[in-house]
Amino acid sequence: MTVTGPSFIALQVKDVARAAEFYEQQVGLTRTDMNRPGAVVFATSPIPFAVREPLPGTDLNQGVRPGNGVALWLHCDATQELHDSLASSGVEILRSPERGPFGLMFTFADLDGYAVTVHDQA
């Protein structure tokens, strides 16, 4: 048996259309045609990323922040520019841009409160 690692990442969100628009319009991701009912998949590489309806039994209103304890990182070739754009549009910045092990990085809260870190070093 061989497990090779993550092959797909999806965030369960309260409003798929609204979350998909946020990730497309404000974060800059591109939708794919792999979409399924209740989900929108983005053309991220090397691992596809999606937003989807919550699975049965999932209550996104429990806890302080959904996904607490999970680190979701997205690569961006213009990290400071994305930070400035998100901050100017009122997106909550959880951690300001700083140099780290993966280059310039910052963390924002998406519409559902997930903490997403963006970095510029591949």
Side-chain angles (χ1 to χ4, degrees), residues 49-74:
F49 169 76
V51 291
R52 61 157 294 140
E53 294 175 344
L55 294 168
T58 300
D59 182 355
L60 296 176
N61 294 315
Q62 287 186 342
V64 176
R65 182 172 304 285
N68 190 27
V70 174
L72 175 60
W73 290 57
L74 299 176

Side-chain angles (χ1 to χ4, degrees), residues 36-99:
R36 303 286 186 260
V40 173
V41 181
F42 297 96
T44 54
S45 169
I47 300 169
F49 169 76
V51 291
R52 61 157 294 140
E53 294 175 344
L55 294 168
T58 300
D59 182 355
L60 296 176
N61 294 315
Q62 287 186 342
V64 176
R65 182 172 304 285
N68 190 27
V70 174
L72 175 60
W73 290 57
L74 299 176
H75 177 261
C76 177
D77 62 0
T79 300
Q80 186 67 54
E81 183 180 331
L82 178 58
H83 166 271
D84 295 349
S85 173
L86 292 174
S88 70
S89 66
V91 173
E92 181 183 6
I93 303 299
L94 301 173
R95 192 169 187 173
S96 297
E98 64 183 347
R99 291 273 163 211

Side-chain angles (χ1 to χ4, degrees), residues 7-24:
S7 62
F8 191 83
I9 296 171
L11 295 180
Q12 297 177 73
V13 298
K14 295 174 186 171
D15 184 329
V16 173
R18 187 169 173 244
E21 182 178 325
F22 171 80
Y23 278 100
E24 184 174 43

